[in-house]
């Protein structure tokens, strides 16, 4: 629920969670960020399903909350008159609605009764319950509205509307899982008293008395148009007329699980309510919209659906309505398991348990390249049928490629399309290397019927017609063909879901369980992969040769799942850490026949699971992080053993992610980013030891120090899964660099780190 304190430019937001907690947040003018105000007293034992309220004065608002526990609670919020003053919330009353809880609420002020409030409730019993009360919070049931044949999902009161009889009428709109929308009209009749109510009055609708006025409720209209559950209905926000009077437009926005939003208005001549605008989406998801919302000026509408995605349309027409899709923020809707920078660091590739791989890049303005740069999702190269756990970008030359592993036993290789390469050029305003466009014959990709493989669309030819055998439009195999496009502005959700896929070029078979970790060497010649394991044979690390994609090695050392791997900067060593609390260092040498490898050392490094590891870009030092809340720094000695150089002070939480970047090669100095199980991130400076070019006897003291602890408001709120430094500019090692992170809170974050 959202409200604005008049004349103070202070906005308040109430949020309810699945654990029954309700919190208040506020934002002031010019501040630009929300701050937590208070948490309301615990009144609900189960998840909060709806919040609804009204400002009854400049400083006081009344709101109601409902929960799956069958309780409806009435609250009062009072804001202090002083600038920056706090707000106080108190519980006024609670109502028990029985075994069938309410899932939707709406609160309004009764026409011609400024001190009286009306509360509408709808839920699992298919009825709309009307309660009357006042600012003291005492509400009494007035009547019931019957008509819906399934759960009621949304309710919304309009402002009082002046009708032809010069009386103020209040309208209530309700939507239901029965796929219908009902508009109820409430009119007042001061002359009619309760003792004069006759049988004829009940034919038009129920009546009730509030104060000295009687009200009659009647069905104004039944709207049928959606083909699935109607999850939300909302009146268009009122417009302010001269003199400050609010005018209620007769316009209703509905959002449904049929992936459509509709705007309903009464026809000018007949007064019949008709569907005047229909917008929708085309997606791989079988689920549609969970809700719709108006922009305050009524010129834009926003929908949200399964997966947390947003769709926005704006009326850009001059003489007539013309609703067009608009750019909105996008992101993952499940834990983000891994991420990686592209070869030159111009974009970020992320994978998630929402079964998608997404590419984010800073989109620069063509008109004013110096404007503020906004990060946008520019492609969704993979939409999969399994949770994706790991990803690695193939380094070296040639087309852009990545390898990913999911909750299946197969690694999949994807190659960039020509449309993506040209879109990337539009986004970054950078001239691509000539090799980016050479021999790229794939324009785009189509999603297969089962959603596991993505087939190429060639620039000079057609994809083999997979849908030729379809029986008709209702066939399960019917999937619209993608339309690969070079985007000159950030793509919207429909375009991302259908037209930005990359084709799958290879499948790598060999592992016996679900994939867990993948990495690529810095020359782009070898890829290493591991899977979930509970025995030594299954815990093998597989080496794959880039290009032929043949298995050229199986490295045995660990007994349980290998959680992370990384090649040294010169590709001489492969470091792996595991659930078995050991680290292993393998010597790797690429040959014409494949690869030579042998185990250099295996060492029990921590007392608990080791989650993360990272090499020093300047030498053979590396760091490991563990559930035992420690980070240890090691170095490879004489290519035959490892030596512990330093142990960072114990952290408060498990260490789940590490990333090491170099800053000064002469001093062997760098920065280690540490991510923890509680979502916090710290930066530690490291220097000294032995650089890669030094002899074994040329040693200097190794020093570590905490540089920065990130503000918790900038960090994740749960486990950090991966940290990655952008590839630093070799021409200026002291230039600002970017650190990317992902976590269980579904977020991907990019930080700019500058030396001070």
């Amino acid at each position: 629920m959202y409200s604005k304190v008049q004349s103070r430019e202070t906005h308040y937001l109430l949020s309810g969670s699945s654990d029954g907690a309700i919190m208040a947040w506020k934002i002031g003018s010019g501040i630009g960020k929300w701050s937590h105000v208070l948490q309301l007293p615990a009144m609900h034992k189960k998840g909060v399903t709806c919040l609804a309220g009204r400002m009854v004065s400049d400083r006081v608002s009344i709101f109601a909350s409902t929960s799956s526990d069958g309780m409806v609670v009435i609250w009062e919020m009072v804001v202090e008159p002083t600038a920056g003053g706090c707000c106080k919330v108190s519980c006024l009353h609670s109502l028990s609605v029985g075994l069938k809880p309410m899932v939707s609420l709406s609160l309004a002020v009764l026409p011609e009764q400024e001190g009286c409030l009306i509360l509408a409730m709808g839920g699992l019993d298919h009825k709309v319950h009307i309660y009357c009360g006042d600012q003291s919070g005492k509400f009494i049931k007035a009547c019931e509205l019957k008509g819906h044949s399934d759960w009621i999902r949304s309710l919304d009161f309009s402002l009082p509307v002046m009708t032809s009889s010069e009386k103020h009428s209040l309208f209530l709109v309700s939507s239901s899982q029965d796929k219908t929308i009902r508009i109820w009209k409430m009119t007042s009749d001061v002359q009619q008293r309760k003792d004069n109510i006759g049988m004829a009055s009940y034919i038009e609708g129920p009546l009730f008395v509030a104060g000295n006025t009687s009200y009659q409720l009647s069905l104004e209209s039944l709207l049928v148009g959606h083909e699935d559950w109607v999850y939300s209905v909302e009146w268009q926000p009122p417009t302010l007329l001269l003199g400050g009077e609010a005018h209620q437009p007769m316009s209703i926005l509905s959002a449904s699980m049929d992936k459509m939003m509709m705007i309903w208005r009464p026809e000018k001549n007949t007064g019949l309510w008709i569907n005047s605008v229909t917008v929708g989406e085309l997606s791989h998801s079988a689920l549609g919209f969970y809700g719709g919302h108006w922009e305050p000026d009524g010129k834009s509408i926003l929908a949200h659906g399964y997966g947390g995605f947003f769709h926005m349309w704006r009326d850009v027409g001059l003489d007539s309505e013309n609703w067009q899709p608009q750019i909105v923020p996008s992101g993952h809707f499940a834990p983000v398991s891994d991420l990686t920078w592209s070869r030159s660091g111009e974009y970020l590739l992320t994978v998630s348990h929402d079964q998608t791989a997404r590419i984010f890049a800073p989109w620069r303005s063509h008109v004013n390249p110096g404007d503020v740069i906004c990060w946008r999702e520019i492609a969704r190269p993979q939409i999969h049928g399994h949770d994706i756990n790991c990803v690695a970008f193939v380094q070296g030359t040639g087309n852009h490629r990545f390898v990913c592993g999911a909750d299946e036993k197969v690694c999949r290789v994807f190659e960039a399309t020509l449309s993506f390469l040209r879109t990337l050029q539009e986004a970054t305003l950078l001239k691509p290397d000539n090799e980016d466009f050479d021999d790229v014959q794939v324009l785009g990709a189509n999603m297969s019927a089962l959603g596991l493989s993505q087939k190429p669309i060639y620039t000079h030819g057609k994809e083999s017609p997979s849908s030729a055998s379809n029986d008709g439009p209702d066939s399960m195999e019917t999937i619209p063909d993608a339309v690969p496009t070079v985007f000159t502005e950030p793509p919207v959700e429909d375009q991302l879901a259908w037209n930005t896929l990359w084709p799958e070029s290879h499948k790598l078979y060999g592992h016996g369980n679900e994939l867990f970790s993948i990495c690529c060497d810095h020359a782009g010649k070898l890829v290493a992969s591991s899977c979930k394991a509970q025995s030594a044979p299954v815990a093998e690390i597989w080496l794959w040769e880039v290009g032929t994609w043949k298995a050229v090695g199986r490295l045995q050392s660990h007994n349980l799942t290998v959680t992370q791997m990384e090649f040294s900067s010169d590709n001489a060593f492969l470091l792996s850490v595991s659930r078995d609390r050991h680290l292993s260092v393998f010597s790797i040498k690429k040959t014409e026949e494949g690869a030579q490898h042998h185990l250099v050392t295996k060492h029990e490094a921590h007392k608990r699971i080791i989650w993360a590891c990272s090499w020093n870009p300047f030498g053979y030092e590396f760091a490991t992080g563990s559930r035992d809340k420690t980070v240890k720094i090691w170095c490879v000695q004489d290519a035959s053993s490892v030596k512990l150089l330093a142990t960072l002070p114990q952290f408060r939480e498990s260490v789940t992610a590490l990333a090491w970047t170099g800053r000064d090669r002469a001093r062997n100095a760098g920065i280690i980013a540490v991510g923890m199980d509680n979502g916090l991130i710290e930066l530690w400076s490291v220097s000294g030891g032995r650089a890669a070019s030094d002899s074994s006897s040329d040693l200097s003291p190794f020093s570590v120090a905490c540089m920065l602890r990130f503000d918790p408001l900038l960090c994740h709120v749960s486990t950090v899964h991966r940290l990655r430094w952008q590839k630093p500019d070799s021409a200026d090692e002291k230039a600002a660099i970017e650190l990317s992170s992902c976590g269980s809170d579904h977020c991907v974050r990019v930080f700019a780190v500058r030396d001070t």
Side-chain angles (χ1 to χ4, degrees):
M1 193 196 83
Y2 173 83
S3 66
K4 173 183 175 181
V5 179
Q6 295 181 2
S7 74
R8 294 183 54 198
E9 293 298 325
T10 302
H11 302 258
Y12 286 85
L13 178 72
L14 291 172
S15 61
S17 67
S18 58
D19 61 0
I22 301 175
M23 294 186 180
W25 312 77
K26 75 173 181 178
I27 185 172
S29 69
I31 298 177
K33 67 178 182 179
W34 290 88
S35 60
H36 179 260
V37 178
L38 55 85
Q39 180 168 338
L40 277 61
M43 295 296 293
H44 294 294
K45 298 179 180 179
K46 294 184 179 179
V48 178
T49 56
C50 188
L51 293 163
R54 289 278 175 167
M55 296 292 298
V56 295
S57 71
D58 289 347
R59 297 191 302 110
V60 180
S61 63
I62 303 294
F63 66 94
S65 63
T66 183
S67 167
S68 302
D69 60 8
M71 297 294 295
V72 176
V73 182
I74 312 299
W75 308 82
E76 180 187 55
M77 175 185 283
V78 180
V79 180
E80 296 297 329
T82 58
C86 62
C87 68
K88 298 180 181 179
V89 178
S90 57
C91 176
L92 300 180
H93 190 52
S94 61
L95 302 168
S96 176
V97 296
L99 298 177
K100 294 185 177 181
M102 301 292 119
V103 296
S104 57
L105 301 172
S106 187
L107 191 65
V109 178
L110 279 170
E112 303 175 6
Q113 296 282 337
E114 292 298 329
C116 294
L117 301 173
I118 182 169
L119 175 65
M121 309 179 188
L124 278 59
D125 62 357
H126 312 171
K127 303 174 185 177
V128 179
H129 302 265
I130 303 297
Y131 284 75
C132 290
D134 53 30
Q135 296 185 23
S136 67
K138 300 294 182 181
F139 279 80
I140 301 174
K141 188 170 183 178
C143 63
E144 295 177 352
L145 302 177
K146 300 178 181 179
H148 288 294
S149 58
D150 208 332
W151 292 7
I152 295 172
R153 281 293 179 178
S154 181
L155 295 166
D156 192 30
F157 275 114
S158 69
L159 288 183
V161 176
M162 182 71 74
T163 60
S164 57
S165 59
E166 296 186 357
K167 294 182 180 178
H168 285 93
S169 298
L170 196 65
F171 289 91
L172 171 68
V173 60
S174 61
S175 68
S176 168
Q177 292 182 185
D178 63 9
K179 309 176 187 178
T180 66
I181 301 167
R182 290 175 180 262
I183 302 174
W184 310 87
K185 182 179 180 181
M186 181 189 307
T187 56
S188 61
D189 187 354
V190 182
Q191 306 299 326
Q192 189 177 21
R193 302 300 302 171
K194 186 175 181 180
D195 51 3
N196 293 331
I197 296 176
M199 183 63 68
S201 301
Y202 283 99
I203 297 176
E204 298 182 4
L207 291 97
F208 64 92
V209 175
N212 61 351
T213 306
S214 62
Y215 297 88
Q216 183 165 42
L217 277 160
S218 59
L219 180 63
E220 171 75 6
S221 184
L222 173 64
L223 311 183
V224 180
H226 287 292
E227 298 177 356
D228 209 333
W229 299 356
V230 185
Y231 254 86
S232 96
V233 283
E234 185 178 281
W235 288 95
Q236 182 175 336
T239 56
L240 291 179
L241 303 177
L242 294 177
E245 184 180 355
H247 168 68
Q248 174 66 65
M250 298 301 286
S251 183
I252 295 172
L253 174 67
S254 62
S256 169
M257 292 295 283
D258 62 6
K259 306 179 187 178
M260 296 291 179
M261 282 206 304
M262 297 182 180
I263 297 178
W264 306 82
R265 300 187 181 103
E267 205 271 330
K268 292 183 179 180
N269 296 325
T270 63
L272 296 176
W273 285 80
I274 59 172
N275 168 26
S276 60
V277 176
T278 300
V279 294
E281 67 127 0
L282 182 68
S283 75
H284 297 280
S285 171
L287 300 177
F289 295 147
Y290 285 167
H293 191 61
W294 290 93
E295 190 181 18
D297 64 3
K299 293 294 185 180
S300 298
I301 53 177
L302 180 75
H304 68 92
Y306 175 78
F309 59 75
F310 290 113
H311 285 271
M312 186 170 73
W313 290 267
R314 184 166 183 82
D315 181 12
V316 297
L318 298 177
D319 299 328
S320 60
E321 286 186 297
N322 182 15
W323 293 84
Q324 293 297 321
Q326 303 296 306
I327 301 169
V328 292
S330 63
H332 292 285
F333 61 92
V336 186
S337 49
D338 202 358
L339 55 78
T340 181
W341 289 95
S342 63
R343 291 179 307 207
S344 54
E346 68 265 48
Y347 62 87
L348 193 62
L349 172 65
T350 63
V351 295
S352 166
H353 291 172
D354 66 7
Q355 304 181 353
T356 65
R358 305 180 188 228
I359 290 177
F360 298 90
W363 195 284
R364 290 171 168 82
S365 171
H366 287 253
V367 180
N368 297 307
D371 286 353
V372 176
I373 299 173
C374 295
W375 280 76
R376 301 290 188 186
E377 183 180 354
I378 65 170
R380 201 167 295 172
Q382 185 184 13
I383 297 177
H384 201 36
H386 299 283
D387 295 357
I388 308 177
N389 299 322
C390 50
V391 67
F393 214 94
V394 178
Q395 304 300 317
T397 59
N399 192 12
H400 298 222
R401 291 174 291 181
F402 71 87
V403 188
C404 71
D407 278 345
E408 56 177 347
K409 304 174 184 180
V410 183
C411 300
R412 298 176 185 266
V413 184
F414 294 85
E415 294 200 16
T417 63
L418 189 60
S419 59
F420 168 78
L421 296 175
R422 290 174 175 165
T423 297
L424 182 63
Q425 184 179 1
E426 293 285 341
T428 60
L429 302 183
L430 299 176
K431 293 183 178 180
D433 298 333
N434 290 334
E435 63 186 12
D436 285 344
F437 291 89
D438 289 347
D439 301 325
V440 178
Q441 299 297 321
V442 177
L443 186 61
N446 265 327
M447 172 62 68
S448 66
L450 296 180
L452 293 179
S453 297
Q454 293 162 197
K455 300 178 180 180
I457 301 173
Y458 294 99
T459 54
H460 303 292
K462 295 183 178 180
E463 178 197 14
S464 56
S466 60
S467 59
S469 60
N470 294 346
D471 296 329
D474 296 329
S475 170
M476 291 180 61
E477 297 287 325
T478 301
I479 294 181
D481 287 337
V483 182
T485 307
V486 178
F487 297 103
T488 57
E489 61 181 13
V492 297
E493 180 68 25
D494 278 355
Q495 296 167 332
L496 288 167
W498 289 100
N499 302 330
T500 62
L501 296 172
W502 289 16
E504 180 183 308
S505 61
H506 293 86
K507 296 183 180 71
L508 311 182
Y509 295 95
H511 287 290
N513 285 327
E514 298 90 340
L515 272 295
F516 197 86
S517 178
I518 284 181
C519 71
C520 180
D521 70 356
H522 301 280
K525 296 180 179 179
L526 291 174
V527 169
S529 61
S530 69
C531 69
K532 297 179 181 179
Q534 294 183 338
S535 62
V538 184
E540 291 178 326
I541 298 171
W542 286 60
L543 292 180
W544 311 87
E545 185 180 42
V546 174
T548 64
W549 297 109
K550 294 180 180 179
V552 294
R554 296 168 66 174
L555 313 184
Q556 296 183 351
S557 175
H558 296 286
N559 298 318
L560 296 174
T561 304
V562 175
T563 55
Q564 194 169 329
M565 303 172 291
E566 189 173 305
F567 284 92
S568 61
S569 58
D570 62 357
N571 301 321
F573 297 106
L574 174 64
L575 169 65
S576 63
V577 294
S578 168
R579 287 179 177 268
D580 63 11
R581 309 174 186 178
H582 287 72
L583 66 84
S584 297
V585 178
F586 300 89
S587 174
I588 306 293
K589 183 178 180 181
K590 182 71 175 68
T591 64
E592 292 182 0
E593 293 78 16
Q596 294 179 355
H597 56 83
H598 72 271
L599 179 64
V600 172
T601 183
K602 178 181 179 181
H603 186 75
E604 185 173 0
H606 291 268
K607 298 179 181 179
R608 303 290 299 276
I609 293 173
I610 307 175
W611 285 122
C613 63
S614 185
W615 284 97
N616 175 14
F618 296 152
Y620 291 149
E621 296 85 14
F622 61 87
T624 57
S626 167
R627 183 179 282 176
D628 64 10
K629 305 178 183 179
T630 63
V631 173
K632 296 182 179 181
I633 300 176
W634 315 75
C635 71
V636 178
Q637 284 189 326
D638 303 324
S640 61
S641 63
V642 295
K643 176 184 177 181
L644 180 63
L645 295 180
T647 301
L648 274 61
Q650 189 169 25
F651 295 87
R652 294 184 179 181
E653 292 287 338
S654 301
V655 176
T656 55
L658 291 174
W660 193 330
T661 187
R663 299 301 283 161
D664 188 345
R665 184 179 292 274
R667 297 189 303 112
N668 194 26
I671 303 173
I672 298 179
V674 181
M676 288 168 276
D677 200 32
N678 60 359
L680 298 183
I681 299 172
E682 297 183 6
L683 299 183
W684 288 72
S685 65
V686 292
S687 61
R690 183 182 64 203
S693 60
D694 293 339
S695 64
S696 60
S697 60
D698 187 11
L699 298 174
S700 60
F702 196 86
S703 63
V704 297
C706 182
M707 293 177 57
L708 178 66
R709 290 183 173 91
F710 286 19
D711 185 335
L713 293 176
L714 298 177
C715 296
H716 299 272
V717 295
S718 56
T719 306
V720 180
H721 283 157
R722 178 70 90 166
L723 293 167
R724 296 269 198 178
W725 291 100
Q726 186 186 39
K727 186 178 180 180
D729 186 356
S730 58
D732 185 3
E733 293 182 350
K734 295 185 178 181
I737 53 176
E738 292 180 338
L739 173 67
S740 59
S741 67
C742 64
S744 295
D745 59 356
H746 311 180
C747 287
V748 177
R749 298 174 183 268
V750 180
F751 306 93
V753 180
R754 297 178 176 86
D755 290 334
T756 58

